[in-house]
Amino acid sequence: MMSSVDTHEKAKVAEKASSIDLASPPEYTDVEGGQTRTLKRQLKNRHIAMISIGGVIGTGLFLGTASALQDGGPIGLLLGYAVVGTICYAVMVSLGEMVAYLPIPGGHIKLAERFVDPAFSFVMGWNYWYNWVIILPAELSAAAVLINYWNQSVNNAAWITICLVVTVVINMFGAGVYGECEFIFASIKVITITGLIILGIVLDLGGGPNHDRLGFRYWKNPGPFVQFNGIAGSKGQFLGWWAVMTQAAFSFIGTEIVAIAAGEAKNPRRNLPKAIKRVYVRILLFYIGGVIIIGLLVPSNNPDLNLRTSDAASSDLYTSSRALYGLAMVGNAPKIFTMISRKGLPYVSIIFCALFSCLAYMGINAGSGKVFGWFANMTSVAGLMTWFGIAVTYIRFYKGFKAQGFDRSKLPYASPLQPYAAWYAMVSCLVICFFSGWRVFLKGHWDHATFITNYLPLVLFPILYAGAKFWRRTPVVKPEEMDFISGLAEVEADSYDEPPPRNWVEKFWAWLM
């Protein structure tokens, strides 16, 4: 059986456990009619693998890169995604170390309560719920934009409704069905983006019907960078690159979903580290490879890149509902959201979160591309604040783990980049958020909607934290008092050695998944 600690470490665990009340009911349970209901571990290793991949590949790549290319040019686009990709990796190795050790329901939200303080967990939870409940209408708006490229005769409301109904139905069947659907949909996305990258290489080298070899033509004309707002020189090019950063963040937001899925994952000690370790492969292959191809095939001055005027050259509901459920279980949301069906489905949370998807219907009058831009701004900043919170939580986790004499080398997953990766992620996320709405301060570019959607999540974070500290009056958890024990026995019991592959097909599948 896989274990996080050796004999010496287990002795320390047992000693510390003696001072902790382990007789209290397990966390995240719903007692009703004398029966205890909990989230059930229904997600297999292939589900976790594809959920982590599916969280990376989405509208940010298929649609969001349009405005990023228009703002930054092909090199600005590439550099922007590369920088945010390094931040994403730093966040994921920080998160992976914690959730592989304690894969409990609530993920980083619950871990923030253990290693920072309850007030920080409160703001982390509501920010994360806000982030994902806004992503759903953003995705629905994006779907309408994409479909309008092929069919403009049908009202956007029809496409939004169809996508919404499918999403809700899938989630109402529970984590097992959701996992299977996510596996199928993510597989389609992987095949699609891989095919598009291959096709893009072929077209760039002159393999299209007209045999026109593009090469790096568009890197020369209109140029590798865009002079943002007509500002000349390196200043305009720098601003063009910086304009890509927020959009790139929207594209990468979602990789942390494996933390929320950890509470419903089978054999978490084995499956979660594998999903975390391969994040860099997905970043390099899908995003860096994808934006290079996009920059080769499409000129940055193409008018169809403007989503506000152009038609467009299902894990959201799952994550938001689990975040709301976790908030309710620790008393940070109304208790009604803790209601669970006999099959372990938090159906009240799912229904409530689904109602917010109606915001996507704003796109009927305002234009789905414009609405997508608003939601993308809000999601980017809220997502970056989630990453900031994860980095802070890890820094505290690292300090407490060391203070209590545990050995990080015995963890199921430990990154050699720590704690520097967490500090890098924390500072970078704050800087990008602070300057996310800078373009509205340029002369003649003031826009109320852009300003509010960029800075509302950033302002709410410290306000909610201050309010929660005042209301709860709970101190920051001291490193020597951090709880590394509760829930550990249950995690160990759910871990097991899987049978080795019997042939090369199973070996390849085990490596892939």
Side-chain angles (χ1 to χ4, degrees), residues 163-204:
C163 295
L164 174 59
V165 170
V166 171
T167 302
V168 173
V169 169
I170 289 173
N171 276 269
M172 290 302 290
F173 276 106
V177 173
Y178 159 75
E180 291 293 344
C181 293
E182 185 70 11
F183 177 79
I184 295 172
F185 294 150
S187 298
I188 294 173
K189 287 195 285 186
V190 169
I191 294 171
T192 301
I193 187 60
T194 303
L196 289 175
I197 290 175
I198 295 173
L199 177 62
I201 295 173
V202 172
L203 293 176
D204 184 71

Side-chain angles (χ1 to χ4, degrees), residues 33-62:
Q35 294 181 339
T36 300
R37 297 177 182 175
T38 63
L39 295 180
K40 299 184 182 300
R41 294 191 182 274
Q42 304 178 51
L43 300 176
K44 302 176 182 178
N45 60 338
R46 58 187 177 89
H47 296 154
I48 295 296
M50 280 303 180
I51 285 173
S52 64
I53 294 174
V56 177
I57 307 173
T59 52
L61 181 59
F62 289 114

Side-chain angles (χ1 to χ4, degrees), residues 137-155:
E139 299 279 3
L140 294 174
S141 298
V145 174
L146 290 170
I147 296 173
N148 271 347
Y149 179 78
W150 307 104
N151 188 330
Q152 300 181 6
S153 62
V154 179
N155 192 287

Side-chain angles (χ1 to χ4, degrees), residues 253-305:
I253 296 300
T255 52
E256 74 288 339
I257 189 178
V258 293
I260 293 296
E264 297 175 87
K266 292 184 177 181
N267 200 10
R269 280 286 172 81
R270 175 185 181 274
N271 296 330
L272 292 174
K274 288 184 68 175
I276 297 294
K277 288 177 182 177
R278 293 182 185 153
V279 167
Y280 75 95
V281 176
R282 294 154 200 155
I283 292 174
L284 291 175
L285 177 61
F286 299 129
Y287 269 108
I288 304 304
V291 297
I292 289 175
I293 296 301
I294 291 170
L296 291 175
L297 297 180
V298 184
S300 58
N301 59 0
N302 190 318
D304 288 335
L305 294 176

Side-chain angles (χ1 to χ4, degrees), residues 2 30 81 102 124 149 158 219 345 405 458 488:
M2 297 179 64
D30 177 27
Y81 273 73
L102 278 174
M124 280 278 288
Y149 179 78
W219 289 35
L345 180 71
L458 179 61
L488 195 60

Side-chain angles (χ1 to χ4, degrees), residues 41 100-104 268-269 487-496:
R41 294 191 182 274
Y101 176 73
L102 278 174
I104 56 177
R269 280 286 172 81
L488 195 60
E490 291 83 356
V491 172
E492 293 283 359
D494 288 330
S495 301
Y496 52 88

